Amino acid sequence: MPILDSRLDVRSDDAQRNRADMLEMLEVMEALQAEAAQGGGEEAIERLRARGKMPIRERISHVLDRDSPFLEISPLAGWRSNVPVGSGFVVGIGVIEGVECVILGHDPSVRAGAFNAFNSKKLMRGLELSRLNRMPYVQFVESAGGDLSGDASGDPEAAIRREVGHFAESGRLFYEISELSKMRIPTISVVFGSSTAGGAYQPGMSDYNILIKNQSQVFLGGPPLVKMATGEDADVESLGGADMHTTISGLGDYLAQDEMDGIRMCREVVRHLNWRKLGPEPRDDFDPPAHDPEGLLDLVSKDLKQPFDIREVIARIVDGSDFEDFKPLYGPTLVCGWATLHGYPVGILGNNGALFSESAEKAAQFIQLCNQIDTPLIFLHNITGYIVGTDFEQGGITKNGSKMINAVSNSTVPHISVIVGASYGAGNYGMSGRAFGPRFTFIWPTAKIAVMGPRQMAGVMSIVGRASAQRRGVEFDEAADAERAASVEFWAEERSKGLYATARISDDGMIDPRDTRMVIAMALSACANNEVKGTKEFGTWRM
């Protein structure tokens, strides 16, 4: 394959400005990640330690193989909400006894590990990753059940409304855990403390359960609820203690003496699974990129209207910077081609402008070709959408854009999306946005995700409002429209920012651009636990 050249001048004013802006955004991201790692704060962590317990991230670090990485999913969930950053829950992919596993756990330092709308969504995402990628599922359970503590104003009624709102959805986790077992994907629970109400069904549905002596408690209703429901005065150990469940009820399979003993048992269980990946092994004779990944900090402007060549990103993430450009002279606003990344063969689609009919057709053909040869697809987003206008509609942009979206929808090889810049409207769909079921989606700090650009959204609403006033025969209030347009543009801008999106779990996490290659490699390795097989069957499309 030809080696991609780089025209990036890292000493230029634009590059220096982009780097300074990116480093500033990364500083904010890292501060929020540090806040999430603190859980409920120093005082809450110290209370845990005083009771002989470890914080959730320490538990996870001990179960992982020595010096192995942990790819955390949605670490900033809950930012600018009524729950702490991170949502009181940790989800990620790590290696235990040489086996890639989905690992998740309640943070007992945050509202006793209770479920809320954010961490319920993270839990469901963890289950989805386990199912789609066929990875063993390990959960560290310590939960007080649903969070009814009220919102930021202390309104318990608001909390109840929220709880009712996501009750049915969060209950899906019981089905999902059971389905994993049916699919022969092992499920393992280590219960580190009280596991109440919905939390009790996490071990209840698991294949393997490890309980800790004088620490684990599992019951559908704790002593206060039992008292209210039946009048019985039940003590905690008799009702749901670890000794009772391992000697009488049979819920527990292993009785650990302390937390480290429970973690040791978890590793032993994973060791005996005899787990084998079904996907291809990567080549081991690959080279690092020929161009320094540090240059990824210099590429993208905060002002996403400033163009950049997506090949500069590709050159810094693929093996040897080798890239076979497919149809480079046709539909040039979409770059398509083949490469390897950490030894894994991949097809790459990246945006260099709006999607025209030609680029959409090229994408549809390229996606089909990758499915024919069982090659995973990487989508690098910087897209304002499909081109609009009379000439383009007459030229078939709706028809040809639909071909691309059809190809994305029917493709069965793993998709991994990285949103480096804009990802607007149907362009997000055509580039395998979250609604189209990519195996993983990551974003850069510069990412923006929205129906359309903020200025365009405000302008469209003004045009619609002006037309409505004309139909009704009333005078159009220019001053009110200008104020409304400014408000719409401001809030559309705020809510399109990557930080807002990642906090609401619309992706799998915001990453440092320099880590893009490693993050994609870990995602590809996770995907290879399952069979990587493309399809030749596509839905009907208009030719």
Side-chain angles (χ1 to χ4, degrees):
M1 294 184 189
I3 296 176
L4 287 170
D5 291 328
S6 175
R7 297 180 180 179
L8 175 66
D9 180 3
V10 298
R11 293 168 297 183
S12 69
D13 290 343
D14 285 346
Q16 292 295 310
R17 182 171 55 252
N18 292 345
R19 172 175 284 264
D21 289 341
M22 181 67 82
L23 289 173
E24 184 179 333
M25 288 185 279
L26 287 173
E27 188 176 347
V28 172
M29 181 188 83
E30 289 163 4
L32 289 171
Q33 288 174 339
E35 183 180 337
Q38 285 295 311
E42 290 185 16
E43 187 176 330
I45 296 294
E46 287 308 312
R47 280 199 302 270
L48 279 180
R49 294 192 188 282
R51 286 152 41 201
K53 294 185 174 185
M54 290 184 281
I56 181 61
R57 282 178 167 77
E58 279 190 28
R59 292 168 177 170
I60 292 173
S61 69
H62 284 301
V63 82
L64 296 174
D65 290 355
R66 188 182 298 275
D67 296 328
S68 66
F70 181 67
L71 180 59
E72 188 169 352
I73 302 299
S74 297
L76 304 185
W79 175 73
R80 282 193 178 174
S81 76
N82 65 304
V83 300
V85 176
S87 76
F89 205 73
V90 178
V91 181
I93 295 171
V95 180
I96 303 173
E97 291 290 334
V99 177
E100 287 162 318
C101 300
V102 172
I103 305 167
L104 51 86
H106 303 267
D107 186 342
S109 73
V110 179
R111 299 182 184 177
F115 288 104
N116 57 60
F118 289 93
N119 62 34
S120 293
K121 196 171 180 180
K122 282 177 72 169
L123 189 151
M124 295 303 294
R125 179 60 178 155
L127 284 159
E128 183 178 37
L129 290 173
S130 179
R131 182 181 71 251
L132 293 175
N133 299 299
R134 188 182 159 273
M135 287 188 289
Y137 177 82
V138 177
Q139 52 185 354
F140 287 177
V141 185
E142 185 167 5
S143 172
D147 183 1
L148 293 176
S149 61
D151 62 10
S153 64
D155 179 5
E157 291 186 11
I160 292 170
R161 287 195 298 271
R162 286 198 311 274
E163 181 67 17
V164 171
H166 77 265
F167 168 73
E169 183 177 321
S170 64
R172 176 78 180 182
L173 79 92
F174 311 142
Y175 174 90
E176 295 279 354
I177 296 172
S178 301
E179 186 180 46
L180 290 179
S181 183
K182 179 182 73 174
M183 297 172 69
R184 301 180 70 180
I185 299 173
T187 57
I188 303 165
S189 285
V190 185
V191 182
F192 284 93
S194 179
S195 184
T196 308
Y201 283 110
Q202 290 180 262
M205 300 291 179
S206 297
D207 296 338
Y208 300 91
N209 285 325
I210 300 164
L211 275 61
I212 299 169
K213 190 176 182 66
N214 298 325
Q215 185 169 316
S216 303
Q217 299 153 12
V218 181
F219 27 55
L220 298 184
L225 180 56
V226 170
K227 176 67 174 177
M228 292 300 298
T230 70
E232 178 189 354
D233 290 313
D235 70 90
V236 170
E237 286 300 315
S238 299
L239 184 64
D243 279 313
M244 188 281 289
H245 279 307
T246 51
T247 61
I248 299 174
S249 80
L251 175 69
D253 304 310
Y254 303 89
L255 180 62
Q257 297 304 305
D258 55 30
E259 293 199 3
M260 285 302 294
D261 193 34
I263 289 168
R264 176 188 62 80
M265 290 177 173
C266 179
R267 290 179 56 81
E268 288 180 351
V269 169
V270 174
R271 186 186 306 148
H272 85 239
L273 294 177
N274 194 30
W275 194 251
R276 293 182 177 88
K277 291 178 135 184
L278 300 182
E281 290 290 327
R283 293 171 49 182
D284 58 8
D285 59 342
F286 60 85
D287 295 317
H291 302 290
D292 190 351
E294 278 288 325
L296 294 172
L297 299 181
D298 307 322
L299 276 175
V300 187
S301 170
K302 279 203 308 187
D303 178 8
L304 295 181
K305 292 191 290 293
Q306 300 299 317
F308 64 92
D309 189 349
I310 201 68
R311 288 182 180 86
E312 297 283 0
V313 177
I314 297 170
R316 288 165 174 80
I317 64 173
V318 301
D319 297 341
S321 301
D322 294 334
F323 183 68
E324 181 186 341
D325 216 331
F326 175 70
K327 281 191 172 179
L329 303 181
Y330 185 78
T333 59
L334 185 70
V335 175
C336 299
W338 286 279
T340 64
L341 198 155
H342 266 257
Y344 287 102
V346 294
I348 299 175
L349 298 92
N351 303 118
N352 263 348
L355 288 163
F356 291 78
S357 280
E358 296 83 359
S359 45
E361 283 191 309
K362 178 167 77 170
Q365 181 186 0
F366 182 71
I367 291 167
Q368 286 179 299
L369 292 174
C370 287
N371 272 265
Q372 284 185 340
I373 58 175
D374 304 330
T375 299
L377 290 164
I378 297 171
F379 295 81
L380 301 175
H381 297 226
N382 183 33
I383 180 64
T384 55
Y386 290 89
I387 196 70
V388 297
T390 303
D391 289 345
F392 301 112
E393 289 294 352
Q394 291 178 358
I397 184 60
T398 299
K399 178 183 68 175
N400 293 318
S402 296
K403 291 178 187 177
M404 179 178 176
I405 292 175
N406 188 307
V408 170
S409 303
N410 287 279
S411 170
T412 57
V413 295
H415 294 185
I416 297 169
S417 281
V418 182
I419 303 176
V420 303
S423 189
Y424 292 153
N428 175 272
Y429 306 151
M431 291 296 290
S432 196
R434 189 63 172 266
F436 281 68
R439 296 289 183 89
F440 294 91
T441 302
F442 299 100
I443 67 172
W444 284 11
T446 41
K448 290 185 179 178
I449 305 101
V451 174
M452 63 182 73
R455 187 169 60 84
Q456 289 79 6
M457 184 180 294
V460 166
M461 292 183 70
S462 289
I463 292 170
V464 171
R466 193 181 301 273
S468 175
Q470 186 175 9
R471 284 195 307 272
R472 290 182 286 118
V474 298
E475 184 178 354
F476 186 65
D477 190 335
E478 297 285 355
D481 177 68
E483 185 178 343
R484 182 169 54 250
S487 177
V488 167
E489 187 170 349
F490 173 80
W491 286 110
E493 173 72 19
E494 283 298 299
R495 290 171 181 169
S496 71
K497 290 179 179 177
L499 194 53
Y500 184 92
T502 201
R504 278 135 193 89
I505 320 173
S506 66
D507 54 71
D508 294 314
M510 181 179 285
I511 62 173
D512 187 320
R514 294 167 293 190
D515 294 334
T516 303
R517 171 176 163 84
M518 182 59 67
V519 168
I520 294 176
M522 292 178 71
L524 288 167
S525 182
C527 292
N529 277 277
N530 209 346
E531 190 176 23
V532 176
K533 189 171 184 180
T535 181
K536 296 181 182 179
E537 302 296 327
F538 287 84
T540 301
W541 43 31
R542 298 179 182 276
M543 303 305 289

